Amino acid sequence: MSEYVPFDIQIEIIKKLPIKSLLQFRSVSKSWKSIIDSSEFVANYHLNNDQLQHRVLVSYDSSTYDHYSNVEDLKYVTIVDDDSFPQNKFPLILPSCSTQLLGYDPSILGSSQGVFCLCVNFGESTYWYYSFGEAKTFVLWNPTIQKSVPVIVPGGENDMKFRCVFGFGVCPRTSVHKLVKISYISTLRFDYLDIDKHSQIEIFSLSSGSCRRSFSMNVPRISIELDREHVCVDKCIYWYAFDRTVTPETKRKKNLILSFDMTTEEFTEIDLCDGLKEEYAGKAYGCCGYLSISKLGTSLVVLQPKGGYGKEISVWRMEHGVPNSFTKLFVIKSPIESLGIDEVHGFRKTGEPIIDTGMTTTDKNYIGNIVVYEPKLGEISDIGITSAGYLCLAQSYIETLVLLDHRGGE
């Protein structure tokens, strides 16, 4: 019957179909497959479709707390984020190329537009982001369409004076994937290096199976140090950072946020607003690790523990993408005295934070749970996932076709 419907009308109909149907219809005809697999279709599908299904990806250690975990104990689950949450759970299997290239326990570096960037897991060691001049391998993975693409990032100068951190994002306007490598002077050697030394920025852009490497002249100030934690919101990648310049007045290092615009490829420093500093009672200065950042819908949020970790966490949102316009939304408090709040992993599409609560047993074993916090009621809802280790991770994402237009991969 399709021969009676003009081809341009067919395309308009196809654009309205859910992703599961699109993947099936790629086998209907070569012309349909060519259209659906095109970069233009993949980019426009997300921009023109506001009904994309939301999900939450959870990785966890399924072993009992009295049993030493192994590879088989590491599980990945995706949960449909709608009114049925969290009943609809589906197991996920990591792409084979990730285990071949990264080992059996890869880490999730970041996620954007339904794509996860996997890298080698170096555990809790902060030295994983030192640059030793070796090439690094990443795997981009879209669990919705079960497609993965390996990315090799060339090594840099083998200089122990420098550290490097990475950031990952997919530009929503172009569907171009970008890996940003920032090499900067190590904190340990900062006071002893020539002031002429500066950061080096390398940008790896991936589109339709090709990788473009470029160097940016727009670099952060020499005194800026970055934490490996970052999030991608809309067209920007954000890192938690701080300025290592110590002034006679403060004698402290100033916390801030560094943003990278994926369209202009420019960096911007974002200071914490006065209201946020006042809430911290002057403690908006310190070392990396005091604050953290996350994503709520289409906004950047800053998370601030109060009274020590595990007590309560204040959630501040940057309004409408405007720097220094943070507004306090609510405070997360555990309703159970024995359960601490270990981490805020992300937020549901309804705005409820997904948190990791945990407790240490009498025999010093750790039991953690992924739960959802209801800000208005101050209550938590268990989603039925318990972990015996510190490997819990939960990230919200939307189903997209991103990576479908890339040649190769799985």
PDB file of all heavy atoms in Angstrom, residues 244-267:
ATOM      1  N   ARG A 244      42.884  27.590  42.580  1.00  0.00           N
ATOM      2  CA  ARG A 244      43.927  27.316  43.574  1.00  0.00           C
ATOM      3  C   ARG A 244      44.643  28.572  44.045  1.00  0.00           C
ATOM      4  O   ARG A 244      45.567  28.497  44.846  1.00  0.00           O
ATOM      5  CB  ARG A 244      44.936  26.324  42.984  1.00  0.00           C
ATOM      6  CG  ARG A 244      44.359  24.959  42.743  1.00  0.00           C
ATOM      7  CD  ARG A 244      45.328  24.062  42.004  1.00  0.00           C
ATOM      8  NE  ARG A 244      45.498  24.465  40.618  1.00  0.00           N
ATOM      9  CZ  ARG A 244      46.219  23.777  39.724  1.00  0.00           C
ATOM     10  NH1 ARG A 244      46.836  22.676  40.095  1.00  0.00           N
ATOM     11  NH2 ARG A 244      46.322  24.190  38.485  1.00  0.00           N
ATOM     12  N   THR A 245      44.245  29.728  43.543  1.00  0.00           N
ATOM     13  CA  THR A 245      44.856  30.975  43.983  1.00  0.00           C
ATOM     14  C   THR A 245      44.468  31.253  45.423  1.00  0.00           C
ATOM     15  O   THR A 245      43.282  31.303  45.757  1.00  0.00           O
ATOM     16  CB  THR A 245      44.400  32.152  43.099  1.00  0.00           C
ATOM     17  OG1 THR A 245      44.727  31.868  41.745  1.00  0.00           O
ATOM     18  CG2 THR A 245      45.082  33.439  43.527  1.00  0.00           C
ATOM     19  N   VAL A 246      45.437  31.415  46.275  1.00  0.00           N
ATOM     20  CA  VAL A 246      45.182  31.688  47.687  1.00  0.00           C
ATOM     21  C   VAL A 246      45.449  33.161  47.959  1.00  0.00           C
ATOM     22  O   VAL A 246      46.559  33.650  47.754  1.00  0.00           O
ATOM     23  CB  VAL A 246      46.064  30.807  48.600  1.00  0.00           C
ATOM     24  CG1 VAL A 246      45.805  31.150  50.057  1.00  0.00           C
ATOM     25  CG2 VAL A 246      45.800  29.339  48.325  1.00  0.00           C
ATOM     26  N   THR A 247      44.429  33.876  48.397  1.00  0.00           N
ATOM     27  CA  THR A 247      44.579  35.309  48.680  1.00  0.00           C
ATOM     28  C   THR A 247      44.841  35.528  50.167  1.00  0.00           C
ATOM     29  O   THR A 247      44.438  34.715  51.002  1.00  0.00           O
ATOM     30  CB  THR A 247      43.317  36.073  48.269  1.00  0.00           C
ATOM     31  OG1 THR A 247      42.230  35.649  49.100  1.00  0.00           O
ATOM     32  CG2 THR A 247      42.962  35.794  46.813  1.00  0.00           C
ATOM     33  N   PRO A 248      45.490  36.654  50.516  1.00  0.00           N
ATOM     34  CA  PRO A 248      45.740  36.941  51.938  1.00  0.00           C
ATOM     35  C   PRO A 248      44.444  37.086  52.731  1.00  0.00           C
ATOM     36  O   PRO A 248      44.410  36.814  53.930  1.00  0.00           O
ATOM     37  CB  PRO A 248      46.509  38.270  51.887  1.00  0.00           C
ATOM     38  CG  PRO A 248      47.106  38.313  50.516  1.00  0.00           C
ATOM     39  CD  PRO A 248      46.114  37.641  49.629  1.00  0.00           C
ATOM     40  N   GLU A 249      43.364  37.511  52.054  1.00  0.00           N
ATOM     41  CA  GLU A 249      42.107  37.741  52.755  1.00  0.00           C
ATOM     42  C   GLU A 249      41.412  36.425  53.116  1.00  0.00           C
ATOM     43  O   GLU A 249      40.977  36.216  54.246  1.00  0.00           O
ATOM     44  CB  GLU A 249      41.167  38.603  51.901  1.00  0.00           C
ATOM     45  CG  GLU A 249      41.649  40.030  51.682  1.00  0.00           C
ATOM     46  CD  GLU A 249      42.751  40.117  50.636  1.00  0.00           C
ATOM     47  OE1 GLU A 249      42.906  39.140  49.866  1.00  0.00           O
ATOM     48  OE2 GLU A 249      43.466  41.129  50.611  1.00  0.00           O
ATOM     49  N   THR A 250      41.293  35.532  52.136  1.00  0.00           N
ATOM     50  CA  THR A 250      40.545  34.297  52.376  1.00  0.00           C
ATOM     51  C   THR A 250      41.420  33.156  52.864  1.00  0.00           C
ATOM     52  O   THR A 250      40.994  32.335  53.680  1.00  0.00           O
ATOM     53  CB  THR A 250      39.850  33.847  51.081  1.00  0.00           C
ATOM     54  OG1 THR A 250      40.854  33.550  50.097  1.00  0.00           O
ATOM     55  CG2 THR A 250      38.939  34.927  50.538  1.00  0.00           C
ATOM     56  N   LYS A 251      42.652  33.090  52.331  1.00  0.00           N
ATOM     57  CA  LYS A 251      43.566  31.982  52.614  1.00  0.00           C
ATOM     58  C   LYS A 251      42.897  30.634  52.324  1.00  0.00           C
ATOM     59  O   LYS A 251      43.192  29.630  52.945  1.00  0.00           O
ATOM     60  CB  LYS A 251      44.043  32.046  54.071  1.00  0.00           C
ATOM     61  CG  LYS A 251      44.887  33.273  54.360  1.00  0.00           C
ATOM     62  CD  LYS A 251      45.415  33.264  55.778  1.00  0.00           C
ATOM     63  CE  LYS A 251      46.282  34.497  56.028  1.00  0.00           C
ATOM     64  NZ  LYS A 251      46.821  34.534  57.400  1.00  0.00           N
ATOM     65  N   ARG A 252      41.952  30.655  51.393  1.00  0.00           N
ATOM     66  CA  ARG A 252      41.251  29.439  50.996  1.00  0.00           C
ATOM     67  C   ARG A 252      41.154  29.373  49.483  1.00  0.00           C
ATOM     68  O   ARG A 252      41.319  30.368  48.791  1.00  0.00           O
ATOM     69  CB  ARG A 252      39.836  29.390  51.607  1.00  0.00           C
ATOM     70  CG  ARG A 252      39.811  29.220  53.114  1.00  0.00           C
ATOM     71  CD  ARG A 252      38.373  29.206  53.613  1.00  0.00           C
ATOM     72  NE  ARG A 252      38.312  29.033  55.050  1.00  0.00           N
ATOM     73  CZ  ARG A 252      38.261  27.873  55.658  1.00  0.00           C
ATOM     74  NH1 ARG A 252      38.261  26.758  54.937  1.00  0.00           N
ATOM     75  NH2 ARG A 252      38.200  27.775  56.962  1.00  0.00           N
ATOM     76  N   LYS A 253      40.859  28.209  48.996  1.00  0.00           N
ATOM     77  CA  LYS A 253      40.692  28.016  47.566  1.00  0.00           C
ATOM     78  C   LYS A 253      39.204  28.112  47.225  1.00  0.00           C
ATOM     79  O   LYS A 253      38.373  27.507  47.884  1.00  0.00           O
ATOM     80  CB  LYS A 253      41.256  26.657  47.149  1.00  0.00           C
ATOM     81  CG  LYS A 253      42.733  26.509  47.493  1.00  0.00           C
ATOM     82  CD  LYS A 253      43.215  25.086  47.277  1.00  0.00           C
ATOM     83  CE  LYS A 253      44.670  24.942  47.686  1.00  0.00           C
ATOM     84  NZ  LYS A 253      45.153  23.563  47.517  1.00  0.00           N
ATOM     85  N   LYS A 254      38.897  28.825  46.165  1.00  0.00           N
ATOM     86  CA  LYS A 254      37.512  29.128  45.836  1.00  0.00           C
ATOM     87  C   LYS A 254      36.886  28.077  44.938  1.00  0.00           C
ATOM     88  O   LYS A 254      37.371  27.785  43.862  1.00  0.00           O
ATOM     89  CB  LYS A 254      37.452  30.500  45.154  1.00  0.00           C
ATOM     90  CG  LYS A 254      36.064  30.957  44.775  1.00  0.00           C
ATOM     91  CD  LYS A 254      36.120  32.291  44.077  1.00  0.00           C
ATOM     92  CE  LYS A 254      34.742  32.744  43.630  1.00  0.00           C
ATOM     93  NZ  LYS A 254      34.794  34.028  42.904  1.00  0.00           N
ATOM     94  N   ASN A 255      35.745  27.519  45.363  1.00  0.00           N
ATOM     95  CA  ASN A 255      35.003  26.573  44.539  1.00  0.00           C
ATOM     96  C   ASN A 255      34.280  27.297  43.420  1.00  0.00           C
ATOM     97  O   ASN A 255      33.798  28.421  43.594  1.00  0.00           O
ATOM     98  CB  ASN A 255      33.964  25.824  45.382  1.00  0.00           C
ATOM     99  CG  ASN A 255      34.590  24.767  46.250  1.00  0.00           C
ATOM    100  OD1 ASN A 255      35.561  24.141  45.864  1.00  0.00           O
ATOM    101  ND2 ASN A 255      34.036  24.575  47.430  1.00  0.00           N
ATOM    102  N   LEU A 256      34.185  26.657  42.274  1.00  0.00           N
ATOM    103  CA  LEU A 256      33.441  27.219  41.151  1.00  0.00           C
ATOM    104  C   LEU A 256      33.036  26.097  40.206  1.00  0.00           C
ATOM    105  O   LEU A 256      33.295  24.927  40.471  1.00  0.00           O
ATOM    106  CB  LEU A 256      34.275  28.276  40.420  1.00  0.00           C
ATOM    107  CG  LEU A 256      35.684  27.890  39.952  1.00  0.00           C
ATOM    108  CD1 LEU A 256      35.640  27.249  38.569  1.00  0.00           C
ATOM    109  CD2 LEU A 256      36.577  29.124  39.900  1.00  0.00           C
ATOM    110  N   ILE A 257      32.385  26.463  39.118  1.00  0.00           N
ATOM    111  CA  ILE A 257      31.977  25.511  38.084  1.00  0.00           C
ATOM    112  C   ILE A 257      32.543  25.992  36.764  1.00  0.00           C
ATOM    113  O   ILE A 257      32.489  27.191  36.458  1.00  0.00           O
ATOM    114  CB  ILE A 257      30.452  25.388  38.007  1.00  0.00           C
ATOM    115  CG1 ILE A 257      29.908  24.802  39.309  1.00  0.00           C
ATOM    116  CG2 ILE A 257      30.031  24.513  36.828  1.00  0.00           C
ATOM    117  CD1 ILE A 257      28.405  24.860  39.423  1.00  0.00           C
ATOM    118  N   LEU A 258      33.099  25.075  35.984  1.00  0.00           N
ATOM    119  CA  LEU A 258      33.624  25.417  34.671  1.00  0.00           C
ATOM    120  C   LEU A 258      32.710  24.787  33.617  1.00  0.00           C
ATOM    121  O   LEU A 258      32.389  23.600  33.693  1.00  0.00           O
ATOM    122  CB  LEU A 258      35.050  24.887  34.503  1.00  0.00           C
ATOM    123  CG  LEU A 258      35.766  25.300  33.215  1.00  0.00           C
ATOM    124  CD1 LEU A 258      36.133  26.775  33.260  1.00  0.00           C
ATOM    125  CD2 LEU A 258      37.011  24.449  32.993  1.00  0.00           C
ATOM    126  N   SER A 259      32.282  25.593  32.650  1.00  0.00           N
ATOM    127  CA  SER A 259      31.405  25.084  31.600  1.00  0.00           C
ATOM    128  C   SER A 259      32.109  25.123  30.251  1.00  0.00           C
ATOM    129  O   SER A 259      32.961  25.975  29.996  1.00  0.00           O
ATOM    130  CB  SER A 259      30.111  25.899  31.527  1.00  0.00           C
ATOM    131  OG  SER A 259      30.351  27.191  30.998  1.00  0.00           O
ATOM    132  N   PHE A 260      31.730  24.183  29.380  1.00  0.00           N
ATOM    133  CA  PHE A 260      32.246  24.117  28.015  1.00  0.00           C
ATOM    134  C   PHE A 260      31.061  24.066  27.072  1.00  0.00           C
ATOM    135  O   PHE A 260      30.226  23.157  27.149  1.00  0.00           O
ATOM    136  CB  PHE A 260      33.131  22.886  27.826  1.00  0.00           C
ATOM    137  CG  PHE A 260      33.577  22.662  26.398  1.00  0.00           C
ATOM    138  CD1 PHE A 260      34.626  23.398  25.865  1.00  0.00           C
ATOM    139  CD2 PHE A 260      32.946  21.716  25.596  1.00  0.00           C
ATOM    140  CE1 PHE A 260      35.042  23.196  24.550  1.00  0.00           C
ATOM    141  CE2 PHE A 260      33.361  21.497  24.292  1.00  0.00           C
ATOM    142  CZ  PHE A 260      34.410  22.248  23.763  1.00  0.00           C
ATOM    143  N   ASP A 261      30.944  25.065  26.193  1.00  0.00           N
ATOM    144  CA  ASP A 261      29.864  25.128  25.221  1.00  0.00           C
ATOM    145  C   ASP A 261      30.249  24.279  24.010  1.00  0.00           C
ATOM    146  O   ASP A 261      31.239  24.575  23.333  1.00  0.00           O
ATOM    147  CB  ASP A 261      29.618  26.583  24.807  1.00  0.00           C
ATOM    148  CG  ASP A 261      28.362  26.747  23.972  1.00  0.00           C
ATOM    149  OD1 ASP A 261      28.185  25.989  23.006  1.00  0.00           O
ATOM    150  OD2 ASP A 261      27.563  27.662  24.264  1.00  0.00           O
ATOM    151  N   MET A 262      29.481  23.244  23.713  1.00  0.00           N
ATOM    152  CA  MET A 262      29.830  22.333  22.625  1.00  0.00           C
ATOM    153  C   MET A 262      29.622  22.945  21.247  1.00  0.00           C
ATOM    154  O   MET A 262      30.137  22.429  20.251  1.00  0.00           O
ATOM    155  CB  MET A 262      29.024  21.030  22.747  1.00  0.00           C
ATOM    156  CG  MET A 262      29.461  20.153  23.893  1.00  0.00           C
ATOM    157  SD  MET A 262      28.599  18.546  23.922  1.00  0.00           S
ATOM    158  CE  MET A 262      26.984  19.062  24.530  1.00  0.00           C
ATOM    159  N   THR A 263      28.878  24.040  21.165  1.00  0.00           N
ATOM    160  CA  THR A 263      28.666  24.685  19.866  1.00  0.00           C
ATOM    161  C   THR A 263      29.764  25.695  19.559  1.00  0.00           C
ATOM    162  O   THR A 263      30.305  25.733  18.454  1.00  0.00           O
ATOM    163  CB  THR A 263      27.295  25.374  19.816  1.00  0.00           C
ATOM    164  OG1 THR A 263      27.198  26.330  20.883  1.00  0.00           O
ATOM    165  CG2 THR A 263      26.179  24.351  19.963  1.00  0.00           C
ATOM    166  N   THR A 264      30.136  26.511  20.539  1.00  0.00           N
ATOM    167  CA  THR A 264      31.185  27.520  20.325  1.00  0.00           C
ATOM    168  C   THR A 264      32.557  27.036  20.750  1.00  0.00           C
ATOM    169  O   THR A 264      33.566  27.661  20.411  1.00  0.00           O
ATOM    170  CB  THR A 264      30.850  28.807  21.111  1.00  0.00           C
ATOM    171  OG1 THR A 264      30.855  28.508  22.530  1.00  0.00           O
ATOM    172  CG2 THR A 264      29.482  29.351  20.720  1.00  0.00           C
ATOM    173  N   GLU A 265      32.588  25.914  21.526  1.00  0.00           N
ATOM    174  CA  GLU A 265      33.825  25.338  22.057  1.00  0.00           C
ATOM    175  C   GLU A 265      34.593  26.352  22.901  1.00  0.00           C
ATOM    176  O   GLU A 265      35.812  26.462  22.837  1.00  0.00           O
ATOM    177  CB  GLU A 265      34.705  24.776  20.928  1.00  0.00           C
ATOM    178  CG  GLU A 265      34.036  23.636  20.167  1.00  0.00           C
ATOM    179  CD  GLU A 265      34.959  22.905  19.221  1.00  0.00           C
ATOM    180  OE1 GLU A 265      36.064  23.417  18.939  1.00  0.00           O
ATOM    181  OE2 GLU A 265      34.584  21.808  18.757  1.00  0.00           O
ATOM    182  N   GLU A 266      33.861  27.065  23.732  1.00  0.00           N
ATOM    183  CA  GLU A 266      34.444  28.051  24.640  1.00  0.00           C
ATOM    184  C   GLU A 266      34.150  27.679  26.086  1.00  0.00           C
ATOM    185  O   GLU A 266      33.108  27.097  26.395  1.00  0.00           O
ATOM    186  CB  GLU A 266      33.899  29.449  24.342  1.00  0.00           C
ATOM    187  CG  GLU A 266      34.322  30.008  22.995  1.00  0.00           C
ATOM    188  CD  GLU A 266      33.832  31.425  22.791  1.00  0.00           C
ATOM    189  OE1 GLU A 266      32.990  31.895  23.604  1.00  0.00           O
ATOM    190  OE2 GLU A 266      34.271  32.084  21.831  1.00  0.00           O
ATOM    191  N   PHE A 267      35.092  28.037  26.978  1.00  0.00           N
ATOM    192  CA  PHE A 267      34.950  27.787  28.404  1.00  0.00           C
ATOM    193  C   PHE A 267      34.455  29.045  29.116  1.00  0.00           C
ATOM    194  O   PHE A 267      34.784  30.162  28.728  1.00  0.00           O
ATOM    195  CB  PHE A 267      36.287  27.358  29.011  1.00  0.00           C
ATOM    196  CG  PHE A 267      36.714  25.976  28.618  1.00  0.00           C
ATOM    197  CD1 PHE A 267      37.522  25.767  27.499  1.00  0.00           C
ATOM    198  CD2 PHE A 267      36.318  24.872  29.366  1.00  0.00           C
ATOM    199  CE1 PHE A 267      37.916  24.498  27.134  1.00  0.00           C
ATOM    200  CE2 PHE A 267      36.714  23.595  29.004  1.00  0.00           C
ATOM    201  CZ  PHE A 267      37.516  23.410  27.889  1.00  0.00           C
TER     202      PHE A 267
END
